[in-house]
Amino acid sequence: MTSNGSGGGEPGPFVRPYAIIGGRTRARHSFALEALVLTTVTGEQSELASSPEGRTICELCRSARSVAEVAALVGVPFGVARVLVGDLVEHGLVMVHETSDDNGPDSAILEKVLNGLRRL
């Protein structure tokens, strides 16, 4: 069912997640599940993002969030979130901090991600 624009409480049109990213299935950048996303000073003006999802991500990531949290909060699959975040990185609207190193992910960061996901 699609919305008739009258605000009558009917659900809006359903958009397939991969339509949001133009059918792309791979991000130009590969981000780990626990990588932290943070809005840049430029991204603070979220209207610069080219999509509603991009604007939402810019607003959500004013405080650091993992890519997994971004996917859950925006309501898209992880792969779609990675593509969206990658697009925002390329436009300088967000930055991504990879938390893992040669020894694997930092357990404190993983604990924060887990606690954040539990709060959802």
Side-chain angles (χ1 to χ4, degrees):
M1 201 175 229
T2 60
S3 175
N4 59 13
S6 65
E10 293 182 23
F14 177 75
V15 178
R16 299 251 179 234
Y18 292 97
I20 294 169
I21 55 175
R24 294 176 289 155
T25 58
R26 295 193 179 184
R28 291 183 185 103
H29 305 279
S30 180
F31 306 117
L33 184 72
E34 72 278 1
L36 297 176
V37 182
L38 188 62
T39 302
T40 63
V41 173
T42 303
E44 293 281 334
Q45 300 171 339
S46 59
E47 66 274 359
L48 296 175
S50 61
S51 70
E53 294 79 16
R55 287 187 286 279
T56 299
I57 293 169
C58 286
E59 291 169 14
L60 287 171
C61 294
R62 289 184 177 167
S63 60
R65 305 227 185 228
S66 70
V67 178
E69 286 178 292
V70 168
L73 292 169
V74 176
V76 296
F78 180 68
V80 173
R82 286 193 337 187
V83 171
L84 290 169
V85 168
D87 290 349
L88 294 171
V89 166
E90 288 192 5
H91 290 97
L93 301 176
V94 299
M95 61 182 181
V96 176
H97 176 68
E98 293 288 344
T99 58
S100 62
D101 58 15
D102 293 335
N103 298 324
D106 181 358
S107 61
I109 296 293
L110 289 177
E111 188 69 30
K112 287 180 182 180
V113 170
L114 183 59
N115 289 336
L117 291 172
R118 285 182 180 144
R119 285 192 301 269
L120 297 175

